[in-house]
Amino acid sequence: MPPDVTGRNKLGNTAACTSRIGLTIDEAAEYTGIGRNTLRRLVGWGKIPVLRIGRKTIIRADVMDYFMQLNQGRDLLECEQVRAAD
C-alpha cells in the first residue's frame, strides 16, 4: 500500500518499515509485533545478527522476515527453542 501524506499506509504502518533496508530495535518491533525487550534478548542470545553503530543497533529487514519464517510456532522466550537467523 502506498503511504499517504503522513508517511503511513492504510494499515497504519510507517512506510519506513517496509522500504528501508535496516531497522532500529523500535522499528523492528513495530514491523514484526515482537516486543522491544524480547528483540533485545534475541540479539543478546545471538539469534538475530545485527550491525552496531555506536549505541545504535540495526537489524536488516530481510533478516527479520527470515527470522520470523524460521521460528514460526516457536516460543521466542525459550533460548533453546529459537533458531538463529544466520
Side-chain angles (χ1 to χ4, degrees):
M1 289 183 185
D4 63 14
V5 293
T6 65
R8 295 184 174 272
N9 63 26
K10 292 181 181 176
L11 296 175
N13 299 328
T14 60
C17 284
T18 57
S19 64
R20 289 178 46 193
I21 193 169
L23 306 169
T24 64
I25 293 286
D26 288 343
E27 290 167 340
E30 183 178 330
Y31 179 65
T32 63
I34 298 172
R36 291 178 305 178
N37 291 336
T38 301
L39 277 174
R40 287 186 185 102
R41 181 177 298 146
L42 292 166
V43 168
W45 288 342
K47 303 296 184 176
I48 300 174
V50 298
L51 172 66
R52 294 195 193 267
I53 305 169
R55 292 181 57 186
K56 187 175 277 194
T57 300
I58 303 295
I59 304 170
R60 287 180 35 179
D62 62 334
V63 169
M64 283 309 309
D65 291 336
Y66 177 65
F67 177 82
M68 295 286 288
Q69 188 175 36
L70 191 63
N71 287 289
Q72 186 171 348
R74 296 179 185 273
D75 183 354
L76 296 182
L77 299 178
E78 294 292 329
C79 184
E80 21 332 298
Q81 286 190 32
V82 180
R83 296 176 70 188
D86 296 350

